[in-house]
Amino acid sequence: DGRGDACLPRLGRPADARRVTDAAPDWVTLYTEAADRAEAEGDQDQACFYLTQAYVHALEEARPEARPLNARLVAAGREAPL
């Protein structure tokens, strides 16, 4: 439905898209920040969607943020503990 789209940065021009590809975005941080904003707005479903995305990227990149992201998802009843 596009409600959470405002939480993530938009790429307005082709030059912006090239900039993002040249400097790989930190998806874990971007998705975590989007989750925090959605949670602050009271949208738990949207927050959990973004947390899941952050969690998957953290796992794929073997990042230390995976455990706290997992804990947040467990607390929301959306994931099993690591």
Side-chain angles (χ1 to χ4, degrees), residues 18-61:
R18 281 194 299 280
R19 179 183 50 80
V20 169
T21 14
D22 291 343
D26 180 357
W27 291 114
V28 174
T29 300
L30 288 172
Y31 279 123
T32 302
E33 290 171 355
D36 293 343
R37 282 191 295 277
E39 197 169 63
E41 294 171 1
D43 191 341
Q44 187 68 12
D45 287 336
Q46 194 70 42
C48 287
F49 170 80
Y50 287 129
L51 283 173
T52 300
Q53 300 307 307
Y55 179 50
V56 168
H57 283 280
L59 288 172
E60 288 176 346
E61 299 169 19

Side-chain angles (χ1 to χ4, degrees), residues 1-27:
D1 67 7
R3 289 179 294 151
D5 292 348
C7 293
L8 291 176
R10 291 200 180 263
L11 301 175
R13 300 182 318 257
D16 293 336
R18 281 194 299 280
R19 179 183 50 80
V20 169
T21 14
D22 291 343
D26 180 357
W27 291 114

